Amino acid sequence: MDNTNSEEKRMIEILRGVVDPELMVNIVDLGLVYGVKYNETDKQIEVALTLTSPGCPMGGIIIEDAQQTLENNYSDCTVKINLVWEPAWSIDKLTEKGKAELGYF
Amino acid sequence: MNQIASQNAPSPKVVLPHYIFGGLVLLVVTMLIIYHPDAFVQHFFNPELLAITHLLVLGWITMVIFGALYQLLPVIMEVKLYCEVLAKFSFVLLGVGTALLAFAFWRFAFGFLMIIAGILITISVSLFVANVLKTAYTSNKKIIERTFIISSTLWLMFTVLAGLTLAINLAWPFLKVSHVELLKLHAHAGIAGWFIQLIIGVSSKLLPMFMVAHNVNAKKLNYTFYAVNIGIATGIVSLFIQLKLGVVFSVGLVVSGIVAYLSFLVEAYIKRIKKQLDIGMKQTVLSFALLVIPMFLIFLLLTNFNAMKRLSLPLSIAYGTTIIIGFITSLVMGQTYKTLPFIVWLKVYRGKVGRVILPLPKDLYSEKVALAQTWLFAIGFAILLLGVLISAGKLVMTGGIVLSISVALYNFNILKIVFHKPKNK
């Protein structure tokens, strides 16, 4: 997410409001958000999102929550959440804050 | 969007009645322990203990497992449940069949009532097995967890057919082997073949998922699968032909398989990313600690020391009690908090995100009540076990009282979860 512009960075901050119901940590600090692309001309937002496990029973709600959260903040935009499995999520994706919230230290 | 597990979830109407019925049966069982504690301090082939045991294994444990599996099969196998109607029929037949069977045992009435109950349970299990096998058949996930689940359901079928045969044999004897030995065969097919294998199959997928543990060596589970299945088959044949050495060999094999599985769980626990355990996982840890007791007791029971012979009856009941009430009941109670809130949460909040206040699944039950329930369960079970070991009916009754309070709290939380309503923003 190094090439993100300021608006995309703001969107990522907004996505911190979406919490994984099982782990009780937001999806950004869990490293589930692989990228956000904002097309200002088409008014389109695309989010690349993964889950901690393909069998995660909470997947539907997390996606719905992410979609709703962005739509509430960008009502003039189309939001598309793309579920991706490559690269597979691992512990390396956690931020320092995420690790701390999981009691990792 | 890719296929995700929650899109395959069945209707909660299929799942929830199993939890409510199971919780109420467990409460009834604790009342029966209080009402007739002597069932635990005499030979295990007594009417009250047979009634209590069948209420526990069928009306409580198998009932909740059926409900939970209808929810979990889509998670594990990543396909929809084959047929929800079959599941509803199976629920009714299992409930009615178990009630009739327990009544027949309590009255020690061997005959048509017991056989009719056995037939209802057999039909219920056949519907369940067909549903699981058809669901597994449509799945592309050829994983060890799937193999365990398929194998466990086949052992369940064997167990209920063996039970029905025993019921017929009690009314009209035709088998030459001692009924008590046949009962051991029936019980171990159910305990090791159905419960233990099913628990291994489901938990080896779910527990690492709940703890967020990756790269756990699943090859250990292959050994577990062969050790447990070869062990049970050898044990059943050995019990039937009364070959002691074969029984000892089979016990060693099954226990070694369980040890391999426990080492898998320990590895997952060490590698877990989610360090803090919630109340459901704490009770799960307690249940696995309790599993060590029967693994030790079975070897004691197989020894031929004179001192052991005098203790063999209380030890036999302690062995069954630690498996069914100690290990499996506490595991099912703990895992209820890891499954039921999510089932209800998904039902209530799917499609309502943004319009209602979104709580966490753990907010659907009282954590304080769950904590009190866990402690009371541990204390009640310890008192009950002590009462069994020293054949003291009053201690068994005291244990039953403490357990009944624990189970009442558990039922309170179940109903709180099931009847949860969303709050508008």
Side-chain angles (χ1 to χ4, degrees):
Chain A
M1 290 191 282
D2 294 338
N3 300 325
T4 46
N5 62 38
S6 61
E7 198 55 47
E8 288 166 347
K9 280 180 183 162
R10 186 173 168 263
M11 290 170 185
I12 289 168
E13 284 309 307
I14 289 169
L15 285 173
R16 285 186 197 276
V18 179
V19 173
D20 181 312
E22 165 64 18
L23 298 174
M24 293 177 281
V25 177
N26 74 69
I27 58 173
V28 175
D29 285 322
L30 275 177
L32 298 181
V33 180
Y34 281 180
V36 175
K37 287 278 170 230
Y38 174 50
N39 187 324
E40 203 172 347
T41 321
D42 296 343
K43 292 284 177 193
Q44 192 164 14
I45 303 166
E46 282 197 45
V47 179
L49 186 80
T50 192
L51 300 171
T52 54
S53 152
C56 175
M58 295 289 106
I61 286 276
I62 293 173
I63 292 163
E64 197 183 319
D65 199 1
Q67 174 114 19
Q68 194 67 49
T69 302
L70 284 175
E71 282 174 355
N72 286 349
N73 285 275
Y74 294 89
S75 52
D76 57 336
C77 291
T78 310
V79 179
K80 193 177 172 197
I81 309 285
N82 297 315
L83 193 58
V84 291
W85 300 113
E86 293 291 335
W89 182 87
S90 71
I91 183 175
D92 306 329
K93 305 275 190 270
L94 285 167
T95 65
E96 293 302 303
K97 189 167 173 280
K99 285 181 183 172
E101 285 183 27
L102 286 167
Y104 204 70
F105 297 117
Chain B
M1 191 187 296
N2 295 14
Q3 184 83 346
I4 52 170
S6 50
Q7 290 171 329
N8 292 325
S11 162
K13 284 181 187 166
V14 175
V15 179
L16 300 181
H18 292 80
Y19 281 89
I20 297 170
F21 187 95
L24 292 175
V25 168
L26 183 60
L27 193 60
V28 169
V29 165
T30 58
M31 299 296 167
L32 292 176
I33 295 173
I34 298 166
Y35 176 66
H36 205 94
D38 288 348
F40 286 79
V41 295
Q42 49 185 299
H43 192 284
F44 54 81
F45 197 84
N46 71 71
E48 294 82 12
L49 192 60
L50 287 169
I52 288 171
T53 306
H54 283 85
L55 279 175
L56 277 171
V57 296
L58 291 169
W60 154 238
I61 302 168
T62 297
M63 184 61 85
V64 175
I65 288 178
F66 276 17
L69 260 193
Y70 295 137
Q71 184 76 22
L72 296 173
L73 281 178
V75 174
I76 295 168
M77 300 191 186
E78 297 179 23
V79 287
K80 278 186 182 291
L81 180 70
Y82 171 66
C83 181
E84 295 190 5
V85 178
L86 281 186
K88 288 177 184 169
F89 274 115
S90 177
F91 166 75
V92 174
L93 290 170
L94 183 62
V96 175
T98 303
L100 290 178
L101 185 68
F103 179 75
F105 271 126
W106 194 272
R107 297 284 301 271
F108 228 35
F110 305 123
F112 282 111
L113 181 64
M114 189 175 281
I115 291 165
I116 288 167
I119 290 169
L120 292 180
I121 294 165
T122 306
I123 297 170
S124 164
V125 168
S126 305
L127 298 179
F128 166 77
V129 173
N131 220 350
V132 172
L133 294 183
K134 290 290 273 183
T135 305
Y137 181 72
T138 57
S139 169
N140 293 323
K141 303 285 287 182
K142 310 292 183 208
I143 46 177
I144 188 71
E145 294 90 340
R146 175 180 180 267
T147 314
F148 271 115
I149 292 170
I150 291 171
S151 171
S152 71
T153 57
L154 296 177
W155 278 113
L156 171 65
M157 197 71 247
F158 173 85
T159 306
V160 294
L161 286 173
L164 183 59
T165 308
L166 287 183
I168 296 169
N169 191 52
L170 276 168
W172 301 285
F174 64 95
L175 294 169
K176 290 193 171 68
V177 185
S178 144
H179 204 86
V180 171
E181 294 305 312
L182 290 174
L183 190 64
K184 288 180 190 169
L185 180 157
H186 166 61
H188 283 89
I191 289 170
W194 163 231
F195 289 135
I196 301 280
Q197 269 205 101
L198 192 275
I199 288 167
I200 293 171
V202 173
S203 66
S204 56
K205 174 79 177 180
L206 291 189
L207 294 183
M209 194 191 282
F210 291 149
M211 294 188 282
V212 198
H214 287 240
N215 303 319
V216 187
N217 181 9
K219 282 182 183 167
K220 293 169 185 173
L221 298 174
N222 291 329
Y223 172 78
T224 301
F225 179 76
Y226 290 109
V228 169
N229 280 288
I230 295 169
I232 306 166
T234 312
I236 283 172
V237 173
S238 304
L239 277 170
F240 199 77
I241 61 171
Q242 297 291 291
L243 182 65
K244 180 82 184 278
L245 198 64
V247 174
V248 175
F249 172 74
S250 74
V251 168
L253 211 51
V254 171
V255 168
S256 74
I258 294 173
V259 168
Y261 158 68
L262 289 177
S263 82
F264 169 85
L265 287 187
V266 169
E267 188 186 335
Y269 184 81
I270 292 166
K271 288 181 174 172
R272 77 194 190 282
I273 290 169
K274 190 182 177 188
K275 296 293 178 191
Q276 291 115 342
L277 297 182
D278 52 41
I279 187 65
M281 289 303 287
K282 280 178 184 161
Q283 191 157 5
T284 301
V285 171
L286 168 72
S287 70
F288 281 104
L290 292 174
L291 177 60
V292 178
I293 302 174
M295 285 165 66
F296 170 70
L297 284 178
I298 188 126
F299 286 109
L300 267 186
L301 283 166
L302 286 171
T303 58
N304 275 323
F305 300 134
N306 283 334
M308 284 301 121
K309 277 181 181 164
R310 284 199 300 276
L311 290 171
S312 71
L313 274 182
L315 282 180
S316 296
I317 297 178
Y319 168 72
T321 306
T322 46
I323 293 178
I324 294 168
I325 301 181
F327 170 53
I328 305 177
T329 292
S330 61
L331 179 65
V332 173
M333 285 171 107
Q335 285 301 302
T336 297
Y337 293 112
K338 301 300 297 176
T339 51
L340 191 60
F342 289 86
I343 294 164
V344 174
W345 194 82
L346 283 172
K347 174 194 139 201
V348 173
Y349 294 105
R350 184 182 289 157
K352 289 183 183 160
V353 173
R355 286 185 280 140
V356 294
I357 298 165
L358 198 64
L360 292 169
K362 75 174 185 65
D363 298 332
L364 270 59
Y365 60 87
S366 162
E367 204 165 344
K368 282 181 183 167
V369 168
L371 189 66
Q373 168 226 300
T374 305
W375 275 105
L376 286 168
F377 180 88
I379 295 164
F381 176 72
I383 298 170
L384 176 76
L385 188 61
L386 185 64
V388 168
L389 285 170
I390 63 171
S391 298
K394 284 193 175 151
L395 267 183
V396 171
M397 184 192 276
T398 311
I401 292 168
V402 181
L403 283 176
S404 72
I405 301 168
S406 167
V407 175
L409 296 178
Y410 171 75
N411 273 281
F412 168 81
N413 260 343
I414 285 187
L415 296 178
K416 188 172 161 60
I417 295 166
V418 169
F419 294 108
H420 172 82
K421 295 275 179 279
K423 289 178 185 151
N424 289 325
K425 272 187 173 172

